[in-house]
Amino acid sequence: MLDKPSSLCSDGAGSPESSVAVSPRRTEPSDANRDAAEAEGGVVARLTSDLVSDEERYGIAWDPVPSLYTEAQMIFDGLHYFNECVSRDLISVSSHFNPFQIDIRQIDKVPRVYTNLLVSAATLHKAMQGDISFVRSSAMVRGDQDLFKFRIRALQDINYRISNPDLQTSDVTFMCVLCLLLSTMAQSAYTDWRAHLEGARRIIQLRGGLKKMISQNPFLKPLVVFFMIIDVVAATTTPSTHKYMAAATSMALHYWEVETSIFQSILAISAPYPEDLFQSLILVNYLRSISGKPKLASRRQAGTRMVLAKILSFNPAEWAARMKGFRGWKQTGDGVEFDTSQETRSSDPPTQPLSRTNDQSSLCSPTDSPMTTFRSSEISGSNLWLSVGVIYRAAILLYTIRTLVLDLPEGKEFLYEDDPTLDVEKLRMQTYQILARALVPLFHDMECARRIGKLVFFPVFVCGMETNPDDHEQQEFVTRGLHMLGQAMGTFGPISAVDELQRKWTADTAAPEGHRVTWDDHFRGRPDFIFGF
């Protein structure tokens, strides 16, 4: 029978699988006490600071460290590692409040199934990152292979919960499915992440939608925001004819209804899409989903003109000025906050992107971009957000032009109704150059990749998709940057993205001269792929 989710210290039934009693120090028991304990079937421990030689240890007839004590060590080690090394990659600025950390002092209040998931996620991150600076206990060193049992237990418990009508839509179940989705994406971009994403969607539907879920429990908002990001980003690499595409993109059109400030919360996680640009991305995905329906061609064309105008009107400098007052998640974890007194006034000098030069002009023009390199110690808040704004604007504009204009076999005359002088190919080339140059300083070293590169995963992937098959220097830069991201963040997602891009470059090389494989054709008929968020 499966154990019920419970605290670490007790499950209410006295089961040794879920009840751990740890004493900070126990000295050698007497012979009488040892005989009595063994007669009762117990395990006698010798936990003392005195050194014991290997010869003495191996000669001891009874177990010197009980298995449950070792398991408790693994749990506390894993949760400590998760707090210190994994959760920091879930928020945009590491110095801000982090609602994803676990208060180990309150571990008895954390559902056991969630604990198992976090420990297994920490194990994967540790193995991928190879962080030699993190001091692990001897239990974690000796028992790495045993840590897989935490994931197995978690999967069994989740299966039990989703098959139980009383538990399948609970907060804990939703929380665990989202955690499982994130950890699965970290293992590979081609795993069964889609099943977990659709499972989370089904829970949301059964509970009446995201708005109702947050109204019932505002503290779910950080996880809800992650679901929204993953859902929208997953649609970018999903063919327009995919069986889940229509439902996903239609659902995303209503995200703004959850609450007025829901898109601001995206700024606090490690994919800080500017609010207006994220809404534009949602619309682009929807327009892609109807691109194969001739009856909706006029709607799609009007939507394409509208979304292009919206992206081009986005001003990274103004957005960065407002972001100077951004303070991340509230201490309550139910929203984000801004310090309006810190925002740049109109009389303040304009900020500049991450660069050694200060000869940039207004970023409203598509020909401007941050460039050159810097040391991670030179990062300032205003420069960071300005670069993030420029990079996301360029990436989403490129994605829009490629999927809604250049890839579609139709005339482009509908674009000229608003601007008869528009040169789409020239705009694409200028935007690509902006993006390629803006990404350079973000991968100057491993520290830059960990602190800043993690914020622009989607733009790096788009840059790779738009790179010419004969531009080997740019291909090498994108490949190196994604490998750095994978190692810095302890995830295989970026490495899977490298494989995907190399397939795209190979396919473009084999295409007839002057042609490229379309975005849809590249992802159609292959395993579902997601590069991360």
Side-chain angles (χ1 to χ4, degrees):
M1 179 178 296
L2 293 170
D3 293 337
K4 296 180 179 179
S6 60
S7 69
L8 171 68
C9 297
S10 174
D11 67 350
S15 169
E17 283 292 323
S18 55
S19 179
V20 181
V22 179
S23 174
R25 175 183 172 90
R26 274 193 311 193
T27 57
E28 191 76 42
S30 66
D31 292 340
N33 290 338
R34 184 187 306 120
D35 293 340
E38 291 178 343
E40 295 176 1
V43 180
V44 181
R46 176 170 59 192
L47 302 179
T48 174
S49 59
D50 299 331
L51 295 177
V52 180
S53 66
D54 290 341
E55 291 77 12
E56 291 178 299
R57 181 182 295 113
Y58 298 144
I60 298 175
W62 36 278
D63 189 357
V65 180
S67 59
L68 292 181
Y69 182 89
T70 301
E71 181 173 321
Q73 254 187 317
M74 293 179 186
I75 291 173
F76 281 98
D77 244 15
L79 293 181
H80 177 55
Y81 184 92
F82 178 86
N83 284 343
E84 294 296 318
C85 304
V86 180
S87 67
R88 68 185 182 188
D89 292 334
L90 302 179
I91 60 175
S92 56
V93 181
S94 58
S95 60
H96 290 168
F97 172 72
N98 191 337
F100 302 104
Q101 290 189 340
I102 300 297
D103 186 352
I104 297 181
R105 297 170 300 178
Q106 302 290 326
I107 193 173
D108 58 311
K109 299 179 181 179
V110 180
R112 182 62 180 271
V113 58
Y114 195 56
T115 299
N116 290 336
L117 282 171
L118 295 184
V119 172
S120 63
T123 306
L124 174 67
H125 188 282
K126 172 176 62 65
M128 178 62 187
Q129 193 174 49
D131 188 354
I132 60 176
S133 65
F134 185 82
V135 179
R136 301 178 293 164
S137 71
S138 57
M140 204 168 188
V141 172
R142 292 195 308 267
D144 280 354
Q145 68 277 13
D146 296 330
L147 289 166
F148 288 105
K149 67 185 178 184
F150 289 99
R151 183 174 179 83
I152 294 173
R153 288 178 185 172
L155 291 173
Q156 292 173 337
D157 208 337
I158 292 175
N159 286 334
Y160 168 72
R161 299 184 70 87
I162 62 179
S163 63
N164 187 326
D166 296 330
L167 300 175
Q168 61 187 197
T169 62
S170 68
D171 287 347
V172 172
T173 302
F174 177 73
M175 179 173 65
C176 290
V177 171
L178 259 294
C179 183
L180 187 59
L181 171 60
L182 287 168
S183 62
T184 302
M185 289 168 55
Q187 292 176 55
S188 173
Y190 300 100
T191 53
D192 53 354
W193 61 269
R194 175 76 71 179
H196 305 316
L197 176 63
E198 297 307 321
R201 192 190 313 280
R202 183 57 179 159
I203 292 175
I204 293 169
Q205 292 170 341
L206 291 173
R207 292 189 56 171
L210 292 176
K211 183 175 183 178
K212 186 174 182 180
M213 286 180 65
I214 290 181
S215 67
Q216 294 172 341
N217 186 353
F219 303 106
L220 284 177
K221 187 177 295 183
L223 289 177
V224 164
V225 171
F226 260 115
F227 171 83
M228 290 168 47
I229 284 284
I230 296 172
D231 191 32
V232 172
V233 169
T236 64
T237 54
T238 299
S240 60
T241 56
H242 194 283
K243 62 180 180 179
Y244 292 120
M245 185 66 166
T249 56
S250 297
M251 179 179 179
L253 288 176
H254 297 279
Y255 283 159
W256 66 273
E257 300 173 358
V258 174
E259 66 175 32
T260 55
S261 61
I262 190 63
F263 293 127
Q264 283 189 348
S265 298
I266 293 173
L267 304 173
I269 68 171
S270 54
Y273 291 76
E275 305 95 294
D276 290 346
L277 294 181
F278 187 72
Q279 294 181 70
S280 297
L281 185 61
I282 290 175
L283 180 56
V284 174
N285 287 339
Y286 168 73
L287 295 174
R288 281 188 58 224
S289 73
I290 64 173
S291 61
K293 301 178 179 180
K295 293 183 179 180
L296 299 178
S298 59
R299 177 193 297 184
R300 172 178 50 78
Q301 292 173 354
T304 299
R305 290 195 301 271
M306 181 179 70
V307 76
L308 283 172
K310 186 177 182 65
I311 296 170
L312 289 170
S313 68
F314 175 76
N315 190 315
E318 293 180 357
W319 180 76
R322 183 170 62 87
M323 288 297 292
K324 287 184 66 176
F326 181 63
R327 294 295 177 264
W329 290 107
K330 297 177 182 177
Q331 293 289 324
T332 54
D334 60 347
V336 297
E337 57 186 352
F338 287 81
D339 181 358
T340 56
S341 65
Q342 297 297 317
E343 293 185 20
T344 303
R345 299 186 300 272
S346 59
S347 59
D348 292 337
T351 56
Q352 296 295 325
L354 297 172
S355 172
R356 292 184 306 194
T357 61
N358 290 318
D359 57 354
Q360 310 284 334
S361 57
S362 171
L363 288 171
C364 292
S365 169
T367 59
D368 297 319
S369 69
M371 55 186 298
T372 70
T373 60
F374 65 99
R375 294 187 298 272
S376 58
S377 60
E378 298 172 344
I379 300 171
S380 66
S382 58
N383 286 352
L384 167 64
W385 293 120
L386 181 55
S387 290
V388 168
V390 169
I391 288 170
Y392 271 101
R393 177 182 183 268
I396 295 177
L397 182 56
L398 280 174
Y399 172 66
T400 304
I401 293 173
R402 174 60 60 189
T403 60
L404 295 182
V405 180
L406 298 181
D407 278 357
L408 298 183
E410 63 181 6
K412 315 305 178 189
E413 295 81 8
F414 71 92
L415 293 174
Y416 308 138
E417 293 183 14
D418 297 334
D419 184 3
T421 64
L422 178 64
D423 186 332
V424 178
E425 184 56 39
K426 182 179 179 180
L427 177 61
R428 188 199 75 83
M429 284 301 302
Q430 290 176 337
T431 305
Y432 172 76
Q433 291 169 2
I434 290 172
L435 179 59
R437 296 168 66 190
L439 290 173
V440 170
L442 277 58
F443 297 98
H444 179 252
D445 53 37
M446 187 65 73
E447 179 64 12
C448 288
R450 185 185 68 79
R451 294 181 58 191
I452 306 178
K454 70 174 186 177
L455 305 180
V456 293
F457 201 167
F458 174 74
V460 175
F461 184 78
V462 171
C463 184
M465 290 289 288
E466 286 297 301
T467 297
N468 289 328
D470 58 351
D471 190 348
H472 301 297
E473 182 178 355
Q474 184 63 21
Q475 290 177 12
E476 174 61 26
F477 167 75
V478 172
T479 299
R480 185 174 65 254
L482 289 172
H483 278 294
M484 289 178 66
L485 272 178
Q487 184 177 356
M489 297 179 62
T491 172
F492 287 96
I495 296 175
S496 299
V498 170
D499 294 338
E500 196 68 27
L501 290 174
Q502 289 174 341
R503 290 189 182 94
K504 177 65 163 60
W505 297 331
T506 300
D508 284 343
T509 301
E513 186 175 356
H515 292 78
R516 301 179 65 161
V517 176
T518 68
W519 193 283
D520 246 19
D521 287 344
H522 175 70
F523 293 107
R524 184 179 290 118
R526 301 184 53 241
D528 289 352
F529 168 80
I530 187 170
F531 53 82
F533 49 84

